[in-house]
Every structure is written in C-alpha cells, then in structure tokens.
Amino acid sequence: MNINGLNFCVIGGGIGGMAAALALRHQGGRVTLLEQAPELTEVGAGLQISANGMAVLRALGVAEDVPEAAQISGGTILRDYRRGRVISRVAAPAAGPTYYYHRADLLDLLHQAALRVGVDIRLGAGVASVCKHPGEAEIFLESGERLRAECAIAADGGRSVIRSIPNGPEAPEFTHQVAWRATIPWNQREDLPSASLTMGPGRHVVTYPLRDQRLMNVVAIEERSDWQKESWRYQGDPDDLRSRFADFGGPVRDVLSKIEEVHLWALFLRPVAQTWQNGRLALLGDAAHPTLPFMAQGACLALEDAWVLARAFQDHSGVARALAAYEEARRPRARQVVAAAGANARNFHLRGPMRLAAQTALMAIGPRLARRYDWIYDYDVTA
C-alpha cells in the first residue's frame, strides 16, 4: 500500500508515540502528533534498550552503531540483599549489547528526528475521544476542536483513555508492587559498567549508570498491600525509602544513602488488550500491552510496535487490512514478553528456602542466564 498522502493522528508524545510518528512519516504518511502536556518531558529517568529495541532506533536513524547519548552495558551483577554478596554475573545478550538511556535524552532524539522529517507536533492537545467513521477517524480534543485522519494511533500509555473505545471499560488493578525511582550524581567510573540487581524477600533494587556514568539510576521495588494514594506517581520521602530497605547491605546501601529526591509509583496493570484496533484506530505501546518493568522491555516493545505498524501500511492495502495485520503480528509477542516480566516479579522476590534454592541455582546457571531470553533480544522486526 502506498501511504503517501494518508493522514495519521498519533495520540501521545512519549517514546512509543514519537517512534510511531517517525516511522509512519518515513513511509510517506502525513502525521500529526498530539501530546496533552504543555511540554515534552519524561519522568523515571533511566531505561534499558536491548538489541531488539536498538534495531528499531538504528533503522529510524535515531541511533548510530555506537549511540552517543547512551551508556553501553557490560551485563548484570546479581547480588544477595544482606551484604551485597555477588551471586552470579549475567553476560550481555549474544544478540547485541544493551544500552542505558536517560528517558529525556531518548525522547529528545526521537523528537528532533520527527521534527526534521516534518511531523506536526502539537503540545497541550489533550484528546477526549476518537470516533470511527467509514472513511476516517474523528479525533475530539478536550478543547472542543475536532480533527480528522484516515487512521488514529493511541499511544497514550498505561492509563490510556482511548483503549476503552475498542475494548470497553477496564479498571486497572494494583499489582501490589510499588516502585521508587531516583537518580544520583555518580563519579565512580568503570571500563564496562554493569547493572546491579540486588534481590531480597519481597523487594529488589536495580541500579545502572547514565550519561557517561555521571548519574546512577535507582529503581527500588517492594511488595505492598497498603497503597491508599489515588495518584499513580507522587513525590516520595527518601528516608521512608531507606527505612523500607534498611536491611539491604553492600554497594546498594551506599547508593540509597545518597538519594535526596525520589518519586514513587504504584504499579497498576491492565492485561494485554483483547482488541488492538477497529479498522480506523489502533493501540500502541503501553496502551495495548502495559507490562511490569522486570524484563526492561516496555520501551522496546513500543519501538517494535512502531516499526511493525508502519511496515503493515507498506505491505497491505487499505487501513483496515493494515491495522489487522499489525494486531496479528504484535499481540502474541506482547503476551509472551509481558508474561516473562510477570514471572520475574516472582523470581526476584522469593522468600525463605525457595530464595536460597534459587540462589544456589543461579550460581550454577547465571553465566548462561541471558541465553534463556534470546527469543526476546534476538527478535529484529526490521530484518
């Protein structure tokens, strides 16, 4: 299908939405991107982009063979929580290195690339609803303005207001997981820095460097049943964080001691959407398949979605056929990766004898553990 001249409206200016706008524009579509915020910002600081996500960034012209804005990973060190004892080391995946990005840096790269190719980016443009018509989608903005496009893409995140249009109302469920996120200044340099995963009963902490090892990204996750906040994210208390992880020793204790500002997320989740599209509207990224962060694949899945969506319009005639092909290609993959992340949520937080048995097993198989997920990292949607 020749998409030259087709009008697309992408809802959401995060990493997935910006990548989708860029990919569709590369194929010749006319793209308007609507972002409800008055400026483009990313919170949460760090993210990991493994080989499957890097393949898309390179194909979009956003990343070079050796990305300048990212920190290459030397693998992952697995530690026990009490003294920070090293349990095992997991090498970088054979498919290619993982890179650590500051979210704001990656979003800016996508944003600038989208502007260069002519994507029309509108900020402060919240979307209330989308209506399907026989020949187009009608997009209703909160301001009262209406836009029309041959196809609308909802990339408005895990709290998507558009997802209910093809799926009906779905209340997100609290997963009983809460994530503390922070960055701290860092000045301890390594030739090939690694992520560190420190695991304890019902809790774990992940750390990895950002911005040429000048920052350390910290994600501390704990199981909780007492969440009473209506907001998914709010300002946390660093002392409260330290008290909740007071029995964590070793290097992570020093990292936690340096935190001066921290945000707190309750991890709410919907299942992978039953319906991804209705012939004029399609879901992308977390709007279609929100995932727990325990495989570090949320951004990578959204990048894969963006590429496959644009390719579907190249390979299939008609908007409805292209969107159906996109859904068919992506839904099984998303379900598998989301399930793997859910399994890690359990594995990272084992208690009692099960935790000790798991550590013994990791000592033996840890160096080969990355091979277990080759099916994730080897997946190249651009090939």
Side-chain angles (χ1 to χ4, degrees):
M1 176 182 180
N2 186 349
I3 70 172
N4 286 331
L6 277 185
N7 285 311
F8 294 88
C9 184
V10 177
I11 303 164
I15 288 168
M18 203 66 71
L22 182 58
L24 289 165
R25 183 69 187 124
H26 275 316
Q27 294 294 339
R30 293 189 293 179
V31 184
T32 299
L33 184 145
L34 305 175
E35 166 55 42
Q36 65 176 349
E39 59 182 351
L40 291 174
T41 58
E42 274 284 7
V43 292
L47 53 79
Q48 303 181 44
I49 305 294
S50 50
N52 52 309
M54 290 305 302
V56 177
L57 292 178
R58 292 188 177 103
L60 291 174
V62 173
E64 303 294 334
D65 288 341
V66 180
E68 293 184 2
Q71 174 68 60
I72 192 170
S73 168
T76 303
I77 301 171
L78 306 181
R79 297 181 181 273
D80 180 67
Y81 77 107
R82 291 189 182 278
R83 299 181 181 84
R85 174 176 60 89
V86 174
I87 301 169
S88 189
R89 297 176 185 269
V90 180
T98 292
Y99 287 89
Y100 307 136
Y101 277 92
H102 195 292
R103 285 178 178 267
D105 295 343
L106 180 54
L107 182 61
D108 185 61
L109 289 171
L110 290 163
H111 178 211
Q112 295 305 319
L115 289 176
R116 284 194 298 270
V117 298
V119 175
D120 179 16
I121 298 173
R122 298 179 54 178
L123 303 179
V127 173
S129 185
V130 178
C131 183
K132 174 187 174 183
H133 298 299
E136 64 185 5
E138 187 175 14
I139 299 94
F140 297 83
L141 275 64
E142 293 173 351
S143 64
E145 183 181 358
R146 298 183 182 184
L147 301 177
R148 295 177 182 272
E150 275 86 6
C151 180
I153 310 299
D156 52 340
R159 301 182 70 182
S160 171
V161 299
I162 308 301
R163 173 178 162 133
S164 63
I165 294 171
N167 287 279
E170 301 168 295
E173 293 186 5
F174 179 41
T175 64
H176 299 285
Q177 307 270 2
V178 173
W180 302 76
R181 302 179 190 266
T183 57
I184 59 173
W186 200 249
N187 56 12
Q188 300 178 23
R189 298 189 61 83
E190 300 178 60
D191 290 338
L192 193 59
S194 300
S196 180
L197 168 58
T198 304
M199 299 175 289
R203 293 158 297 161
H204 75 273
V205 180
V206 175
T207 61
Y208 53 84
L210 301 171
R211 292 181 172 169
D212 196 28
Q213 302 187 64
R214 292 180 285 112
L215 290 177
M216 182 63 72
N217 188 66
V218 186
V219 182
I221 295 182
E222 58 171 331
E223 296 176 6
R224 286 174 63 170
S225 59
D226 62 344
W227 188 264
Q228 301 295 326
K229 305 291 182 181
E230 292 184 5
S231 173
W232 289 29
R233 177 179 69 90
Y234 78 106
Q235 192 83 19
D237 179 353
D239 289 333
D240 185 23
L241 165 63
R242 284 185 278 270
S243 69
R244 292 176 178 275
F245 290 81
D247 53 347
F248 275 53
V252 75
R253 178 185 289 273
D254 181 53
V255 169
L256 295 177
S257 72
K258 292 180 169 60
I259 294 176
E260 296 182 357
E261 182 177 355
V262 65
H263 287 90
L264 190 55
W265 271 260
L267 301 183
F268 285 82
L269 207 59
R270 294 183 176 103
V272 175
Q274 289 292 325
T275 302
W276 289 39
Q277 55 84 32
N278 66 7
R280 289 291 166 184
L281 165 70
L283 307 178
L284 184 143
D286 284 351
H289 45 73
T291 180
L292 291 170
F294 307 137
M295 278 301 306
Q297 284 296 304
C300 290
L301 284 177
L303 291 169
E304 290 180 5
D305 286 352
W307 184 269
V308 173
L309 175 70
R311 189 180 64 194
F313 278 93
Q314 184 181 37
D315 294 345
H316 299 274
S317 61
V319 173
R321 288 183 179 178
L323 294 185
Y326 159 70
E327 178 179 20
E328 183 179 0
R330 293 302 299 159
R331 187 166 54 187
R333 163 81 170 170
R335 284 177 170 168
Q336 289 176 320
V337 177
V338 168
N344 272 351
R346 298 183 292 273
N347 296 336
F348 291 174
H349 294 177
L350 294 174
R351 292 176 166 84
M354 291 182 64
R355 184 175 65 85
L356 298 176
Q359 287 188 2
T360 301
L362 284 171
M363 290 178 188
I365 68 169
R368 304 189 302 276
L369 192 59
R371 302 288 302 178
R372 178 181 179 184
Y373 298 112
D374 279 353
W375 62 273
I376 293 179
Y377 308 128
D378 285 346
Y379 195 80
D380 182 356
V381 295
T382 71

